[in-house]
Amino acid sequence: GEKISNPRHERRDRARLAKAQRRLARKAKGDGANRAKARLKVARVCARIADRRRDHLHKLTTRLVRE
């Protein structure tokens, strides 16, 4: 069967998310603007991960439908 995800991408995504969350934890002690920017970064990383997974699943299902 087809692999649903790429382990290399998953490792990179987990590392990016962990880094963004650490940044958020550091900036949570600061002022509101820094906190908001850090939250936005975490949200962007999460969205990027979701987009990549959706695109991968779309490619996979499109390939299976054609066969």
Side-chain angles (χ1 to χ4, degrees):
E2 293 280 340
K3 287 176 81 173
I4 291 197
S5 61
N6 184 334
R8 188 182 78 229
H9 287 181
E10 286 184 7
R11 280 192 302 273
R12 186 178 60 205
D13 289 341
R14 278 196 303 267
R16 284 181 178 158
L17 182 56
K19 183 178 177 182
Q21 287 172 332
R22 284 192 305 271
R23 185 180 302 134
L24 177 58
R26 275 195 316 270
K27 297 202 177 197
K29 299 170 188 164
D31 63 355
N34 278 335
R35 247 192 325 257
K37 281 175 23 179
R39 277 197 197 109
L40 185 59
K41 178 69 175 176
V42 171
R44 280 192 200 126
V45 171
C46 290
R48 190 179 311 137
I49 291 169
D51 288 346
R52 186 176 293 120
R53 286 185 180 153
R54 187 182 62 242
D55 291 346
H56 183 75
L57 286 173
H58 176 71
K59 286 178 190 174
L60 181 63
T61 53
T62 303
R63 190 179 320 142
L64 291 174
V65 167
R66 277 192 239 144
E67 294 175 355

